[in-house]
Amino acid sequence: MTGIVTIGKEALHSSSCYSTSISDLKYADERRADPPPSSIDDVLTFILMCIVISGGDFKTDCDLWWSKAVRLAQALGLNRVDASEEAQEERRRVFWLLFCLDRHLALAFNGTPNISDDECDVYVPLPDDVWENFETVPSELITKRSHGPPVLVTGTSFFEYFLPLMAIMGDVIHIHHRRYHPRFGTLDDQNSISMVEKLFASCAQSISDLESRYDTEELNGAIPASEFLTPNSGFQESPLNHAVGTPAGRRPKSRALAQLVTSYSTFILHVLHVLLYGKWDAVSMLENDDGWITSVPFMKCASHAIAASEAVSQILKCDPELTFMPYLFGIYLLHGSFILLLFADRMPQIGANESVEKACETIIRAHEVCVVTLSTEFQKRFRKVLRSTLYSVRSARTTNAEESRVRRRVLSLYRWTKGSRGLGL
């Protein structure tokens, strides 16, 4: 009996343990089916995944993460009007980072922005140095802010210079893609272009004002900005390191950073001009089926392409290794280079041009530096095409038809025509 009872108890015990195990498993399944609520940390994770993947050779893989980031940000209401309390600042900064990269990736992959300007009812972010020292920063350093995307460069932190440029680029992208619309594509877009030109002028003036504020023109690369891009010094210089009212021009680190920001901003603004007036697709540009190279927009595009190469030359003086924005710089360098490739390709017919050759050499050098800093296949290929074209012109020999076909075949990998995916192979 005892044995039976013992066995019975053992059986009961085993049964109880088994029942408990089943219950635990069911509870675990329920917990797995009900994940913790999403947060802005998840949005940031998706954004970082997207940035890293977009800098590699499998760029189209970032679409999945980008879609997740945009949908989650909208679900969390990061784009909605918020209170002015600084507890909301982190949400604002995540949203505006998403906004910037949305336009950046739209250009890279020949798409339209997923986030429209009219849904951006959010305060612009604080300057980085103010935000990082918010609890101790003097109240007079906290500036009044507005809602919606800004269009003027106001300082040296990321959101003060890159966000306005991306806001304007969103308008350029919309104008470009509207031309592909089956009904609206035939409408005159001169009014829209004139509006963007006014934004360009205002933005250029704001960059000039920033240069004057920091007295960057007299530097001319004299202070190597790269020495300030170290973990010990960082990109930013806190206002707490100086008494309130210390002129920005007397702060060496601030001046070096301002020199970087104004140089890069000037270059990107010239590229935005090229995107507004020019064709985005290199092959279509070279084929010139519609006679575009004799038009007024072509002349405007060409002048800004030369100016962009001059801005690159200045960038290389103050940032020789192009480490300031390695994940972002490549696509603007590429689009600023297409028109120079066209010039080089046409030199046998129109004659040599020293300024164009110099601009091409500057762009080739920049692509070479970019590849060392962040190796990307599209820049390697384009550099070879531009170098090969320039070599053929300088060697004073007739361009081989096969060489020309090879160049166009390489360029055909990255198309910005209707339905194409840009850098997305």
Side-chain angles (χ1 to χ4, degrees):
M1 179 66 68
T2 304
I4 295 175
V5 171
T6 302
I7 293 174
K9 286 182 179 180
E10 290 177 355
L12 179 62
H13 177 69
S14 299
S15 177
S16 298
C17 290
Y18 180 74
S19 299
T20 303
S21 299
I22 292 294
S23 177
D24 289 344
L25 287 173
K26 289 176 66 178
Y27 180 63
D29 287 340
E30 290 175 358
R31 284 187 297 177
R32 281 196 293 268
D34 186 20
S38 299
S39 67
I40 58 173
D41 289 337
D42 298 313
V43 180
L44 272 175
T45 300
F46 295 151
I47 290 174
L48 292 175
M49 290 284 292
C50 186
I51 292 174
V52 173
I53 294 173
S54 68
D57 293 330
F58 302 97
K59 298 181 183 299
T60 52
D61 292 346
C62 77
D63 280 350
L64 173 64
W65 300 104
W66 189 247
S67 297
K68 288 178 179 289
V70 172
R71 289 199 303 269
L72 182 55
Q74 292 171 337
L76 292 174
L78 299 187
N79 61 310
R80 297 173 192 158
V81 63
D82 54 6
S84 59
E85 291 81 5
E86 300 317 315
Q88 301 292 327
E89 180 68 15
E90 187 176 358
R91 290 169 56 89
R92 299 185 197 113
R93 299 174 81 82
V94 170
F95 172 75
W96 287 119
L97 175 61
L98 192 71
F99 178 92
C100 290
L101 296 178
D102 185 50
R103 276 134 181 80
H104 172 80
L105 293 176
L107 174 62
F109 298 124
N110 195 32
T112 55
N114 291 313
I115 303 173
S116 60
D117 288 55
D118 57 2
E119 63 180 292
C120 301
D121 196 10
V122 186
Y123 281 110
V124 297
L126 289 169
D128 288 354
D129 49 3
V130 176
W131 168 238
E132 290 168 3
N133 301 278
F134 182 77
E135 295 181 356
T136 56
V137 75
S139 58
E140 55 265 39
L141 290 179
I142 300 178
T143 57
K144 183 179 179 181
R145 291 177 292 165
S146 59
H147 282 87
V151 292
L152 300 178
V153 174
T154 58
T156 57
S157 62
F158 179 82
F159 293 114
E160 290 179 303
Y161 71 89
F162 197 68
L163 174 56
L165 293 169
M166 292 301 98
I168 298 174
M169 190 171 78
D171 295 338
V172 175
I173 292 174
H174 281 300
I175 291 174
H176 175 79
H177 282 278
R178 192 178 65 184
R179 294 166 184 162
Y180 295 138
H181 194 279
R183 292 174 296 281
F184 301 150
T186 58
L187 298 178
D188 183 16
D189 54 12
Q190 187 54 50
N191 289 336
S192 299
I193 291 175
S194 297
M195 178 64 71
V196 173
E197 287 175 335
K198 292 178 181 178
L199 294 178
F200 283 163
S202 298
C203 187
Q205 183 59 52
S206 69
I207 296 172
S208 178
D209 292 342
L210 189 64
E211 289 176 335
S212 300
R213 192 194 318 166
Y214 285 90
D215 296 326
T216 60
E217 290 186 0
E218 66 181 44
L219 292 179
N220 194 29
I223 299 178
S226 57
E227 74 181 70
F228 301 115
L229 308 185
T230 63
N232 292 330
S233 61
F235 289 109
Q236 294 290 346
E237 184 175 36
S238 171
L240 303 183
N241 294 337
H242 305 276
V244 176
T246 301
R250 297 181 182 177
R251 307 175 190 174
K253 291 183 181 180
S254 295
R255 293 180 72 192
L257 178 58
Q259 185 182 31
L260 271 175
V261 167
T262 54
S263 298
Y264 274 91
S265 298
T266 298
F267 166 73
I268 293 176
L269 189 58
H270 282 303
V271 173
L272 294 186
H273 281 85
V274 171
L275 293 172
L276 179 65
Y277 300 126
K279 292 185 176 182
W280 290 18
D281 185 67
V283 175
S284 300
M285 196 181 296
L286 291 172
E287 292 174 349
N288 190 38
D289 292 335
D290 56 359
W292 173 69
I293 63 173
T294 60
S295 65
V296 173
F298 169 78
M299 299 304 297
K300 293 181 179 179
C301 180
S303 65
H304 283 285
I306 298 295
S309 71
E310 294 171 354
V312 170
S313 180
Q314 177 62 28
I315 289 172
L316 288 170
K317 287 182 181 179
C318 58
D319 186 16
E321 297 177 358
L322 299 179
T323 56
F324 186 58
M325 48 168 59
Y327 281 95
L328 303 175
F329 186 60
I331 186 62
Y332 307 104
L333 183 62
L334 182 68
H335 274 285
S337 307
F338 284 158
I339 191 73
L340 297 178
L341 175 63
L342 173 62
F343 274 127
D345 187 71
R346 297 267 169 171
M347 273 189 192
Q349 291 82 35
I350 63 177
N353 187 306
E354 184 178 349
S355 63
V356 171
E357 289 189 37
K358 181 180 178 182
C360 289
E361 287 291 353
T362 300
I363 293 299
I364 289 172
R365 180 186 167 203
H367 278 290
E368 290 172 344
V369 174
C370 280
V371 169
V372 172
T373 303
L374 179 67
S375 181
T376 51
E377 202 62 33
F378 77 90
Q379 288 183 290
K380 292 179 183 178
R381 288 168 173 160
F382 182 79
R383 176 185 60 84
K384 289 181 180 179
V385 168
L386 186 55
R387 172 64 75 190
S388 171
T389 304
L390 203 58
Y391 174 77
S392 297
V393 171
R394 286 175 171 172
S395 62
R397 62 182 176 84
T398 304
T399 302
N400 187 293
E402 180 60 27
E403 289 180 356
S404 181
R405 281 194 294 270
V406 169
R407 293 171 194 156
R408 279 166 168 73
R409 188 158 56 244
V410 172
L411 293 173
S412 295
L413 294 173
Y414 311 103
R415 301 299 302 271
W416 272 267
T417 53
K418 182 180 180 180
S420 299
R421 295 283 294 141
L423 297 181
L425 295 179

